[in-house]
Amino acid sequence: MSIQPAIDSDLRQLAGDSERGLPDFAETAARLAGGGSPYRDDRPGAEARRRALIESRLIEVALMPVGLERVYVHRVARAAAGGAALLGAAAIMVGVLDPWTGRMLQILSGMPLAILAPVLIGFATLAAYVLAGLIAEHHVERRLRDAVRSRGELYTDIEHLEAARPLEEVRRMVNGVDAVAVALPLLGASLGLAVCGFLMAFYFLPGNQMANAAYYSLGPVALVTVLSIAFVIDLARACVRERKSPSRPALLVLAEHWGTLIVGGLLGSFVLWYGARVVEGVRVAGFVPGEGKRLLLIATAVAAKVLPLTWTLLWVRRREQRRVSG
Amino acid sequence: MRPGEPVALSLVPERMERPSQRLCRLLEPLHAELRTCARRLCRSTADGDDLFQEAALRALGKIDMLDSEEAFRAWFYRVLLSVHRNRVKRSFWSRLVPIGDREPAGEPTGDVGGAERIRLALASLPVEQREAIVLHDIQEMSVEEIADVQGVSESAVKSRLARGRKQLRSIYKKRFGVIDLATEALVPGGSP
């Protein structure tokens, strides 16, 4: 008898034998879903891993410095307050430029624009600060909750929990609002104060003179506003650059220097003295200073506000950065 | 989130297909074919199942390298053969020491079944020849497909098949003697 038929027959038997009792594909699928756990039934192991990861993340959240969350909340609140001041100032300026809106604002509030401006801007700023603080607090809490939350599916949870880094997440959030928390308050405060100052300076003048003075001062105010916006944008970009580059941007170094505060104080004193003279001249002699002098006065007034404000905001920011990095 | 608070459960939105999901989707229709092939390559069913699981896990790690899903079958065969060769190389003893439902190593007894006989004979062949015979004679793959899977030329596959068959015949003759196909009883020392 030839051997080959025997071999062929055995091969057929082997084929039939190996097809018997094939396990279900679900077993392979479960192992693959587990990423190749050494356990044949890796579910209990995976569940233990999930519990351990949740516990570890909870500990990380519990040990997270409270200051980190507070910094985020304050930054968001500051940015929102600055934004509200900016909007309030814009609304008042529309009221100044458009007589119909101005009259409506006066009728609705029962106050003249010069009084309404600080009240409106102040109230909007305060309300935005409180509300944005509450929202930011809720937001941080939700993100932290997400970091330790189970989503129902075991392996998705493990993947998610392994990737979650609550501390890094909050740090990223804090750094994300860094530039805005400098730019918006600075812009809001400088423009809000400019609008209030602009209105109050001319509020005490007789009707025609006020209208004329205000009208003729709009150009210089607009110019100075544009310049201050450019400065604020550059400052915000410098804040972003500072985190990414090992060397500190020159603008930041300059703005954080004590000299900036002193220069701001000197400019403020000059504005008070020169502004008082101008107002007195207008009231007594009806003499409105030339355009160059008005531009000088407005630019100095804005610089006298912006410089100390910048210094103060950057000082607060430095303290916050220390808390974040610590 | 404060520690100690209950952990909320919610469903996550649908996301991109994970590698394991992709592999499961591709592997499921071929599961029976590939697992039986793994069993046929090994000395025992348990070894074959282990080989298949190991190959599946290796494939999971490399699934990103799979360009075309149409080529998945051949790709997985290549992974399977690669894992098989590694196992053969790294654990010489595992071919000799039985685990689980494996029969004890050594000369077969007279009442050994046909499947077990061919397993023993195949285990004695060089791994490339064993693969070629299993893929061609049991899995019914063409020479061209085997050449693709083994990464060699078609003539090399034909040569492996011829040498493997010759060696099988020699093993059958030397170790199992004459075989009575009707009863599958062994007659030691006889000639075919």
Side-chain angles (χ1 to χ4, degrees), chain A residues 141-156:
Chain A
E141 199 169 304
R142 206 184 62 200
R143 293 292 279 267
L144 290 178
R145 197 182 285 275
D146 271 350
V148 294
R149 187 168 61 176
S150 167
R151 285 139 200 264
E153 209 281 306
L154 184 60
Y155 294 108
T156 310

Side-chain angles (χ1 to χ4, degrees), chain A residues 1-7 9-11 13-25 27-29 31-33 35-36 40 54 58 61-62 141 144-145 148-153 155-156 159, chain B residues 1-3 5 7-12 15 18 20 23-24 27-28 31-32 35-36 39-40 49-50 52-53 56-57 60 113-115 117-119 122 133 137-138 168-169 172-173 179 181 184 192:
Chain A
M1 182 179 294
S2 166
I3 293 174
Q4 193 55 48
I7 293 174
S9 162
D10 286 357
L11 284 170
Q13 279 196 36
L14 175 62
D17 184 59
S18 55
E19 281 167 4
R20 272 199 296 276
L22 269 185
D24 199 49
F25 181 68
E27 183 199 319
T28 306
R31 287 195 71 164
L32 291 175
R40 274 196 187 275
I54 288 178
L58 278 172
V61 168
E141 199 169 304
L144 290 178
R145 197 182 285 275
V148 294
R149 187 168 61 176
S150 167
R151 285 139 200 264
E153 209 281 306
Y155 294 108
T156 310
E159 203 173 84
Chain B
M1 179 78 201
R2 268 82 179 172
E5 279 187 20
V7 176
L9 294 171
S10 74
L11 292 173
V12 281
R15 297 193 308 172
R18 292 163 57 195
S20 57
L23 181 60
C24 285
L27 194 55
E28 193 167 9
H31 173 241
R35 192 182 274 267
T36 49
R39 285 178 167 191
R40 288 160 188 170
D49 286 345
D50 278 351
F52 177 77
Q53 293 284 21
L57 293 178
L60 177 63
R117 191 163 46 231
I118 192 76
R119 275 189 202 280
L122 284 171
I133 288 179
D137 293 350
I138 313 183
L168 265 186
R169 279 196 295 273
Y172 263 62
K173 186 178 176 184
I179 300 163
L181 286 176
E184 282 196 347

